[in-house]
Amino acid sequence: MIFNLKDNENIPIKLPFATDITLFLKREDKIHSFISGNKYRKLKYNLLEAKQSGFTKLLTFGGAYSNHIAAVAFAGKTFGFKTIGVIRGEELVDKITQNPTLRFAQECGMEFKFISRDIYRDKTSTEFLNTLKNEFGAFYLIPEGGTNTLAIKGCEEILTESDKDFDYVCSSVGTGGTISGLINCSKLSQQVLGFPALKGSFLHEDISKFVSKSNWKLIEDYHFGGYAKINVHLVAFINTFKKQHNIQLDPVYTGKMMYGVFNLIKKNKFPKGSKILAIHTGGIQGISGMNKMLKKKNLPLIEI
Ligand SMILES: *Cc1c(COP(=O)(O)O)cnc(C)c1O
C-alpha cells in the first residue's frame, strides 16, 4: 500500500496586527481535497494492520457529515477494502443523495447501516458489535473519529525535523488523537496548544493516556458552543481569512482553531518573537453540509 503522505509545506501567514510574531500554517489539508489531512494520517497504520491481518472489510462509525466517514470510504476504495459505515440517525436512510458526505462515501463504495441515536450511544457494546459481525462477517473495526494507538502513530509523522524551531504548535482537537501524535513528536522546547472543537472535560484525561510529556495545554475558549456549532463571527472570520490568505478553513475544526490563534495573538498572549506553527488538519469536505444548514437558517454562507 502506497500512502502519498509528504512532509507538508509550511505557509507563512502575514499578521499586520502583530509584526513581532511569526505564524506558519502546515498544509495537511493538501494531502487530498476530500480527505482531511489528519484522518488520512490516522488511517495509515490501521490499514497496514488490517491488510497484514488478512481483513478485507473495514467498519467504522460516524455522523452524517463526518470527515472520518469520507476518509474511510475513500481509503477503502483506494486500497482495496470493502467499507461499512454505521451512521448515526435512522432518518438519513433516504437522504443519502442530499448529503454531500454520504453521497461521496457511497460513490466510493461504502455500504451504510443507519441506526438510531440511542443505539449509536451504545455502538461499542459487545452485544451490538456481535450483531454487526452476524450481519457483515469479519471486519477490521476503526473507532469513531479514527483514534486508537495506531492512529496516533500516524499523527506522530506530522511534525518533522524542519519544524523543530517553532515555539508553539497549534492544532484543533476532536477526540484528541491528532494532538496526542503531535505531542509525542514535539520537542520538549515546544509547547503544543490544542483548541477543542467541542465542550469536553474528558479530553484532558483522554489525551493524557496517549502521551508521556507535559508540554501541552488545551485552550477551551474557542469551541463556539459545541461540536459543529458555529456563529456569524466564525463564518465571517473564515471568509476574511480566505480573502486575505487564499486558504480555505473549515467551520468545524480549523476555523475555530485559527480564530483562537488570531485572538490569542491579538490579546498579546504569546511572548514577543514567538514562532507559531498551526496545523491545517483539513476538513474542507464538511463545508457544503454546513452551508446547507446555514442556507436553511438564512445565514451568511462560507465562501468556497
Ligand atoms: C477529526 C478532525 C480533527 C480532530 O482530530 P482528533 O484526532 O479527533 O482530535 C481536527 N481537524 C479536522 C479537520 C478533523 O477532521
Side-chain angles (χ1 to χ4, degrees):
M1 284 200 291
I2 311 289
F3 271 84
N4 185 19
L5 294 175
K6 36 189 188 312
D7 298 341
N8 281 301
E9 234 183 316
N10 296 336
I11 302 292
I13 304 294
K14 282 207 187 84
L15 298 169
F17 53 87
T19 46
D20 50 355
I21 301 279
T22 316
L23 175 64
F24 280 76
L25 190 58
K26 188 179 277 295
R27 300 294 308 272
E28 289 282 295
D29 57 312
K30 286 194 161 177
I31 291 176
H32 187 270
S33 59
F34 228 79
I35 311 301
S36 277
N38 72 336
K39 296 301 183 292
Y40 222 43
R41 299 255 180 214
K42 290 166 90 167
L43 282 172
K44 175 177 170 182
Y45 290 106
N46 276 293
L47 298 191
L48 289 167
E49 172 68 24
K51 195 138 268 184
Q52 266 165 19
S53 314
F55 287 98
T56 55
K57 270 185 199 169
L58 310 172
L59 181 140
T60 196
F61 307 99
Y65 298 100
S66 162
N67 293 331
H68 171 66
I69 287 291
V72 171
F74 182 82
K77 180 176 120 175
T78 310
F79 299 114
F81 293 96
K82 292 206 171 92
T83 54
I84 300 142
V86 180
I87 309 293
R88 181 179 58 228
E90 283 165 312
E91 75 284 358
L92 294 163
V93 66
D94 46 30
K95 297 207 177 88
I96 297 172
T97 51
Q98 300 157 40
N99 177 303
T101 304
L102 296 179
R103 196 172 55 224
F104 172 79
Q106 192 173 53
E107 280 162 13
C108 290
M110 183 174 260
E111 191 184 332
F112 298 124
K113 181 178 175 70
F114 294 93
I115 61 175
S116 70
R117 284 163 176 76
D118 277 345
I119 298 178
Y120 195 85
R121 231 164 275 137
D122 274 336
K123 61 190 171 303
T124 53
S125 70
T126 317
E127 195 192 345
F128 185 62
L129 290 179
N130 282 337
T131 318
L132 293 175
K133 273 183 200 141
N134 287 337
E135 187 169 344
F136 297 107
F139 52 76
Y140 183 86
L141 181 73
I142 302 175
E144 180 182 34
T147 290
N148 57 16
T149 313
L150 290 175
I152 289 163
K153 182 175 170 188
C155 293
E156 288 169 6
E157 295 173 352
I158 297 175
L159 295 180
T160 62
E161 254 329 275
S162 55
D163 299 321
K164 69 178 184 325
D165 291 331
F166 286 101
D167 305 305
Y168 296 93
V169 176
C170 300
S171 174
S172 173
V173 176
T175 61
T178 304
I179 193 174
S180 297
L182 289 170
I183 294 164
N184 290 343
C185 67
S186 68
K187 304 279 173 198
L188 280 172
S189 55
Q190 299 179 314
Q191 186 157 46
V192 183
L193 302 179
F195 294 76
L198 61 157
K199 289 194 243 178
S201 45
F202 52 87
L203 274 173
H204 206 273
E205 202 178 315
D206 285 1
I207 296 165
S208 299
K209 278 184 223 150
F210 291 116
V211 304
S212 52
K213 290 186 204 144
S214 53
N215 59 335
W216 59 283
K217 196 158 84 180
L218 294 181
I219 296 172
E220 308 191 60
D221 305 325
Y222 301 101
H223 55 61
F224 286 78
Y227 187 69
K229 298 230 166 81
I230 62 170
N231 64 25
V232 288
H233 302 294
L234 183 64
V235 172
F237 175 80
I238 291 171
N239 288 340
T240 307
F241 190 88
K242 172 133 191 232
K243 268 195 210 102
Q244 286 177 348
H245 306 287
N246 201 21
I247 296 174
Q248 182 80 60
L249 300 172
D250 86 292
V252 180
Y253 296 102
T254 56
K256 293 181 180 182
M257 184 247 334
M258 217 50 190
Y259 186 103
V261 171
F262 268 46
N263 201 250
L264 292 177
I265 294 173
K266 284 184 178 156
K267 284 159 78 181
N268 290 318
K269 297 285 181 191
F270 292 99
K272 268 194 180 28
S274 293
K275 292 197 198 82
I276 307 169
L277 178 65
I279 313 295
H280 192 322
T281 40
I284 303 309
Q285 74 87 29
I287 295 175
S288 35
M290 186 62 84
N291 271 344
K292 281 192 134 190
M293 191 274 289
L294 290 169
K295 203 168 178 181
K296 254 192 223 151
K297 295 190 184 167
N298 238 332
L299 290 167
L301 304 187
I302 300 157
E303 285 155 30
I304 35 175

